[in-house]
């Protein structure tokens, strides 16, 4: 199994450009999410989805859009990139997000390093 | 919202030394998790804790769920160079969203 696959690994954008970060999982996971990691800030939740057709905002959603048309894919869109969005982005998925053991099986991708100039 | 205070922010130790790090919160959590992130990779779950007072080991790693449910500790015994990385605590309480600490960056000198 490939697990959680993120593309691209690295990306440089100019301010105002748009792009989509791709995330795909082949584990039939219901729950998918996007985090950003900044120095000294830890992991902050951007958006998440508990199933196809369902998305919701996390802690830092502004400037990002998501959609979940299939169980496998959860792309993150930057409509107009800003320097403040320079960060490392992680996609994570889990079989489900119900019950007591929600965080036990959260699988992370290897990340996308984004620089906005 | 719920916040976690993770300390220390960074540690520089010699190979063979023991390591301790902790997370505290003003909120009560039902679940405490510890993740490790290797350079250039995503975090990987090390230990999950679900009960106040619970002590769980994974090889040289031992983690505890604090009695007050507001803190958790991770200990690494006899550190080795491959222990290098960033260790994150994460907690989950009534909001059902996983909250991450800011991480402890561990450097192990051979």
């Amino acid at each position: 199994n490939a697990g959680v696959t993120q593309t691209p690994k690295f990306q440089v954008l100019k301010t105002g450009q748009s792009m989509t970060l791709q995330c795909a999982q082949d584990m039939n996971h219901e729950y998918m999410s996007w985090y950003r990691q900044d120095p000294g800030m830890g992991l902050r939740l951007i958006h998440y989805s508990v199933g196809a057709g369902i998305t919701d905002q996390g802690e830092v959603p502004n400037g990002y859009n998501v959609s979940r048309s299939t169980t496998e894919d959860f792309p993150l869109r930057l409509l107009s990139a800003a320097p403040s969005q320079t960060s490392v982005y992680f996609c994570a998925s889990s079989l489900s997000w119900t019950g007591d053991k929600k965080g036990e099986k959260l699988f992370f991708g290897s990340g996308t390093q984004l620089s906005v100039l | 919202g719920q916040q976690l205070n993770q300390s220390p922010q960074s540690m520089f130790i010699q190979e063979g030394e023991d390591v301790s790090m902790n997370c505290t919160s003003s909120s009560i959590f039902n679940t405490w998790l510890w993740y490790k992130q290797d350079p250039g990779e995503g975090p990987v779950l090390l230990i999950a804790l679900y009960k106040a007072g619970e002590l769980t080991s994974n090889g040289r790693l031992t983690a505890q769920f604090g009695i007050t449910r507001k803190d958790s500790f991770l200990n690494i015994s006899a550190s080795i160079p491959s222990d290098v990385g960033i260790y994150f605590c994460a907690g989950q309480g009534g909001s059902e969203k996983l909250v991450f600490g800011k991480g402890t960056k561990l450097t192990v000198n051979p």
Side-chain angles (χ1 to χ4, degrees), chain A residues 15-87:
Chain A
T15 297
Q17 285 185 317
S18 63
M19 80 156 297
T20 300
L21 307 185
Q22 301 291 345
C23 175
Q25 52 86 14
D26 60 0
M27 300 173 282
N28 201 30
H29 283 177
E30 290 183 350
Y31 178 86
M32 297 186 75
S33 56
W34 278 100
Y35 289 85
R36 60 177 289 174
Q37 183 179 26
D38 302 293
M41 299 296 291
L43 292 159
R44 293 183 292 171
L45 183 64
I46 304 172
H47 285 286
Y48 65 99
S49 168
V50 298
I54 305 168
T55 63
D56 206 346
Q57 295 181 347
E59 181 186 356
V60 287
N62 292 341
Y64 307 95
N65 281 349
V66 292
S67 60
R68 184 93 180 270
S69 56
T70 67
T71 299
E72 295 78 18
D73 301 299
F74 191 45
L76 179 72
R77 297 184 185 85
L78 284 71
L79 298 179
S80 179
S84 61
Q85 293 178 304
T86 294
S87 186

Side-chain angles (χ1 to χ4, degrees), chain A residues 37 40 90 97 102-104, chain B residues 35 37 45 50 92 96 102:
Chain A
Q37 183 179 26
F90 288 100
W97 206 248
K102 295 186 178 69
E104 182 174 12
Chain B
Y35 286 82
Q37 182 181 23
L45 182 68
Y50 301 104
Q92 187 166 32
E96 300 191 354
K102 295 182 179 180

Side-chain angles (χ1 to χ4, degrees), chain B residues 27-74:
Chain B
S27 304
I28 290 174
F29 285 102
N30 300 322
T31 301
W32 283 98
L33 306 164
W34 286 92
Y35 286 82
K36 184 196 177 193
Q37 182 181 23
D38 289 325
E41 297 296 328
V44 174
L45 182 68
L46 297 173
I47 294 178
L49 302 159
Y50 301 104
K51 210 173 181 182
E54 182 180 353
L55 187 72
T56 297
S57 293
N58 178 6
R60 293 178 295 105
L61 278 62
T62 301
Q64 185 162 22
F65 193 139
I67 290 290
T68 64
R69 294 169 62 194
K70 293 183 177 181
D71 56 10
S72 180
F73 306 86
L74 176 70

